[in-house]
Amino acid sequence: ATYRYHVKSAGTYRAWCQGDFVGETALEGDTVIRSFELLQQIPTHLSAIAVADYVNYEYTHSGVYGDVPVTLRAKPNNMAAMQNVFVNLGDAIDACEYWYGPNGWSRVGYVLTTDGALEIPTNIAYPQFMVGQAISDNNSLLSHELGHHWWGDLIAPHVHNDMWLKEGPAEYSSHLMVEWMDGEEEFITTVKENQLYVLENAHIDDEGFHPMSPMPDEQIYGRHTYYKGASVMHNLRGYMGDELFRQGMSGVIENHSYTDMTPDEFKTWLEDETGLDLDPFFDAQIYLPGFATFVVDSFAAAPAGDDWNVEIHIQQKLRECPEFYTQVPLDVTVIGNNWEREEFQVIVSGEFSTVNINSSLEPAMIVLNGHNRLNQNRMDHEVVIYPDEPFNSNIPYVDFRLFDEVIVDSTFVRVEHVWSGPDDENLGEGIYAISGTHYWSVDGFWPEGTGLAGRIYYRGSDEFELDYDLFGDTETDAVLVYRADASQPWEVYGDYTLTTGDIFNGNGNIRIDVLQKGQYAFANGDASVGLPQLNAVVTELQAFPVPADGILTIAGTVSTPGLCRIDILDMTGRCVMKTSVQADHEFRRDIDVSGLDSGSYVLVVRNPGGVSSKTIQIAH
């Protein structure tokens, strides 16, 4: 509909409506009628008036396609703060115009309201409390609402169950503003933080994993609609490529404004603008719940003249999704021994794919989706550690801590946290059950003599946590399992420290005392299986200081070198910490017991040849 507004007000209150001001009629005293006209059609739920003792701040922004009038409206005591937090509005306008085409309205306008935000064309309702928040927070909200000037205002969803059609592009507009202002690195950080939030929270807050279309009535304003909506818009860009994504999005706006659309119509219109077949994207990422990711099972390389023929075996892994994705454009990065990189793109379908590429590099590593052009059910991060330089052990996105025990030269580490169950067909001795929800993959380049350790956390306190399937009842059988690659069986790892705390709360951590390249997962099993066959008992067992506060030192002697398992038991016999030591006759092991309560404990050191124990005291 189009609108003509006539609003009567008195005192210092004046109406500021959508569209163009067409006049004011004075009545008795301080009462007036102010009139506005909006000749462009809008969805009827976006018709609104704003009345208060507003003041205006007006200016003209020089946009990608010409001048864009801008109006900010606020009560007098809020105007200075509003101008301050809207300092980057011009970047939001430029980003949206670049990707979606010219601003289709007579102005970009915002008006402060006492509660809530809504994409009112030319007069966006903006919550007053936001002007007291950080500029970065306002960048996100103002660009989201501005994105609606294209998606939601010019084209609206046909039914409310497809709310993602407007909220997804709008939320992604805030990501595009970051890219426009701060560049690709900050943009990818924003995209990854959003995807991690989706993986962690969307299914909990929205009571399940939902397809984007149709969204249940109860969840139309949920996390899927907004944040997974932004995630799938980024994936649409990844499928289409930047040039065709821009061409398609701006073309749909240009040729289909002032109408509504279904997801099928959106797909068809994008295909008309670009010539692409988008059935594989919509079939998987719009009409199916859950997520998919791709991992390298193995690769082999053979010389081919001056190049290398590289055969890569790729597996697709699902999370709460009933079908495998098809025709997925996937980035492949070949990394050589000197850390140099060469980029490729392949198309993969189904659970298993084999691709062949010709690379100028002899591959030492293969990375999939290295530029994060697709959001998947996997998070990753790369770090480089330099000798004698400070290093933050908290690795973002992947729930992993990395410790630089010995750094002899520049060291490159890549950690991937896969939010899907590892393969469970090849379990080694003593493994009862392996995680059905997640695992880690560690790769990189570290010189001989480098010593690294890691720490990973398990959380199983309630049914929504990733490790509830293993540890929801008890952590008694908690073990760490490892394999070098997908061709190897999972085995109980031989060198880790388990810290359980309360063994029945489902939460704890495992310190990987000697970090190797390969894959790690939580499991239920028999920790003693990881021990080698030794032929002697441990003798002369010592533990000091007495009592211990932070670090407990254990020392002893064995007749045959090898690995010994160390357990600390409370006085009920419950194991509260596990670790191990590589015993070369005389051995020594420092254990951090600061997390244990004060009291008496039993220290047990065992190998297949015997068991030694000793009572210890901890006091804080």
Side-chain angles (χ1 to χ4, degrees):
T2 60
Y3 289 85
R4 190 177 183 97
Y5 302 94
H6 307 281
V7 183
K8 182 190 293 186
S9 61
T12 59
Y13 281 48
R14 293 292 183 270
W16 295 97
C17 298
Q18 298 170 256
D20 299 321
F21 178 65
V22 294
E24 179 178 288
T25 301
L27 303 179
E28 294 182 359
D30 56 9
T31 301
V32 299
I33 296 176
R34 288 168 60 83
S35 299
F36 294 79
E37 190 170 59
L38 181 65
L39 297 180
Q40 289 175 266
Q41 298 177 48
I42 60 171
T44 54
H45 73 280
L46 295 180
S47 173
I49 64 173
V51 182
D53 55 339
Y54 288 124
V55 295
N56 282 353
Y57 175 70
E58 299 180 353
Y59 65 96
T60 299
H61 173 73
S62 297
V64 177
Y65 297 98
D67 290 344
V68 178
V70 177
T71 302
L72 305 182
R73 290 167 178 158
K75 295 176 182 179
N77 60 340
N78 294 127
M79 178 51 76
M82 187 180 189
Q83 289 178 238
N84 178 61
V85 298
F86 272 69
V87 64
N88 297 315
L89 175 58
D91 290 297
I93 295 172
D94 290 344
C96 287
E97 287 202 322
Y98 177 82
W99 290 102
Y100 308 146
N103 170 54
W105 305 93
S106 60
R107 67 173 179 272
V108 169
Y110 292 79
V111 57
L112 291 191
T113 60
T114 54
D115 185 34
L118 189 63
E119 60 266 22
I120 308 301
T122 73
N123 214 29
I124 294 169
Y126 199 81
Q128 185 171 288
F129 78 88
M130 283 297 298
V131 301
Q133 306 301 310
I135 289 176
S136 58
D137 294 334
N138 281 273
N139 287 347
S140 179
L141 182 58
L142 70 84
S143 55
H144 173 109
E145 299 302 336
L146 181 65
H148 279 306
H149 267 40
W150 289 261
W151 307 101
D153 293 2
L154 287 175
I155 301 178
H158 182 66
V159 294
H160 61 281
N161 306 97
D162 289 320
M163 193 73 73
W164 74 272
L165 283 170
K166 72 183 186 74
E167 298 300 343
E171 183 62 21
Y172 192 52
S173 298
S174 67
H175 301 182
L176 296 175
M177 180 185 181
V178 172
E179 182 180 32
W180 187 268
M181 288 180 56
D182 302 321
E184 182 179 6
E185 184 174 349
E186 288 301 314
F187 167 66
I188 293 301
T189 295
T190 300
V191 168
K192 292 175 73 169
E193 288 175 349
N194 178 76
Q195 179 66 2
L196 181 59
Y197 180 83
V198 170
L199 291 173
E200 291 178 334
N201 298 290
H203 64 292
I204 300 174
D205 295 345
D206 293 350
E207 300 180 331
F209 294 83
H210 303 291
M212 300 307 297
S213 175
M215 190 64 61
D217 285 359
E218 297 81 7
Q219 311 300 342
I220 60 171
Y221 288 108
R223 308 303 185 194
H224 280 73
T225 292
Y226 286 79
Y227 304 110
K228 191 177 180 185
S231 175
V232 299
M233 290 307 301
H234 181 70
N235 287 355
L236 178 62
R237 175 179 170 181
Y239 271 64
M240 300 177 73
D242 283 6
E243 183 178 345
L244 290 181
F245 178 73
R246 181 186 180 199
Q247 178 179 316
M249 296 292 279
S250 59
V252 169
I253 291 292
E254 180 181 2
N255 294 314
H256 300 281
S257 289
Y258 309 111
T259 187
D260 61 75
M261 65 179 175
T262 66
D264 275 349
E265 287 173 326
F266 185 37
K267 176 185 74 70
T268 298
W269 295 345
L270 287 170
E271 290 174 335
D272 291 344
E273 297 296 333
T274 63
L276 295 176
D277 174 11
L278 293 176
D279 280 341
F281 174 84
F282 277 78
D283 288 346
Q285 306 216 24
I286 304 305
Y287 297 124
L288 291 179
F291 307 88
T293 194
F294 297 87
V295 298
V296 175
D297 267 353
S298 63
F299 69 90
D306 294 332
D307 296 329
W308 293 83
N309 180 264
V310 186
E311 183 176 86
I312 309 170
H313 298 278
I314 297 172
Q315 183 180 6
Q316 181 178 174
K317 303 187 74 65
L318 302 177
R319 183 186 187 212
E320 299 295 333
C321 184
E323 299 178 23
F324 291 104
Y325 292 11
T326 63
Q327 297 297 304
V328 179
L330 188 63
D331 288 338
V332 175
T333 304
V334 175
I335 305 180
N337 283 303
N338 295 317
W339 303 13
E340 65 271 48
R341 299 182 180 225
E342 192 170 6
E343 306 294 340
F344 303 87
Q345 190 173 83
V346 299
I347 303 297
V348 292
S349 296
E351 183 175 8
F352 298 102
S353 300
T354 299
V355 298
N356 287 274
I357 57 177
N358 286 315
S359 174
S360 62
L361 302 175
E362 180 181 4
M365 282 179 60
I366 301 291
V367 170
L368 303 181
N369 195 42
H371 298 284
N372 287 278
R373 274 193 269 265
L374 298 178
N375 285 306
Q376 304 180 44
N377 59 308
R378 186 198 79 195
M379 303 304 298
D380 54 66
H381 195 67
E382 297 177 356
V383 295
V384 178
I385 310 172
Y386 299 99
D388 303 320
E389 289 192 12
F391 168 69
N392 185 351
S393 66
N394 287 303
I395 309 301
Y397 312 120
V398 293
D399 203 19
F400 193 99
R401 292 195 68 183
L402 180 66
F403 302 104
D404 50 341
E405 309 269 296
V406 180
I407 301 298
V408 298
D409 202 347
S410 300
T411 301
F412 169 75
V413 181
R414 177 180 174 86
V415 180
E416 297 181 353
H417 188 193
V418 181
W419 288 60
S420 184
D423 300 337
D424 59 2
E425 297 88 3
N426 197 1
L427 302 183
E429 181 185 358
I431 302 174
Y432 313 146
I434 195 169
S435 171
T437 55
H438 68 138
Y439 67 97
W440 286 265
S441 180
V442 178
D443 206 345
F445 300 93
W446 46 86
E448 184 176 354
T450 300
L452 298 175
R455 179 174 285 130
I456 50 181
Y457 301 83
Y458 60 83
R459 299 175 178 88
S461 58
D462 64 59
E463 61 182 309
F464 297 112
E465 300 281 8
L466 286 175
D467 302 302
Y468 184 77
D469 61 336
L470 290 177
F471 310 133
D473 294 326
T474 178
E475 302 148 60
T476 303
D477 296 326
V479 296
L480 179 69
V481 296
Y482 167 84
R483 66 182 184 183
D485 55 54
S487 68
Q488 303 297 313
W490 289 99
E491 303 287 355
V492 176
Y493 195 58
D495 205 346
Y496 70 88
T497 301
L498 169 68
T499 303
T500 62
D502 183 345
I503 205 164
F504 299 108
N505 70 1
N507 297 324
N509 70 80
I510 290 179
R511 188 182 193 275
I512 307 170
D513 296 315
V514 178
L515 185 67
Q516 303 182 65
K517 301 175 190 177
Q519 298 175 2
Y520 297 87
F522 297 129
N524 286 326
D526 181 358
S528 67
V529 171
L531 294 171
Q533 295 297 313
L534 300 181
N535 296 315
V537 297
V538 181
T539 60
E540 301 180 21
L541 179 60
Q542 303 173 57
F544 54 87
V546 181
D549 180 7
I551 299 297
L552 174 71
T553 299
I554 300 170
T557 303
V558 295
S559 59
T560 304
L563 191 70
C564 295
R565 174 67 66 195
I566 301 171
D567 294 336
I568 297 178
L569 313 179
D570 68 13
M571 299 312 290
T572 70
R574 179 170 59 97
C575 182
V576 295
M577 183 174 289
K578 297 179 182 180
T579 186
S580 60
V581 63
Q582 190 70 30
D584 184 9
H585 298 298
E586 302 289 336
F587 70 87
R588 181 187 177 102
R589 181 77 164 85
D590 293 334
I591 303 175
D592 183 356
V593 295
S594 59
L596 298 182
D597 294 335
S598 297
S600 297
Y601 295 84
V602 177
L603 171 69
V604 179
V605 181
R606 64 166 58 93
N607 59 58
V611 177
S612 296
S613 64
K614 187 181 187 67
T615 301
I616 60 174
Q617 300 292 325
I618 295 175
H620 302 302

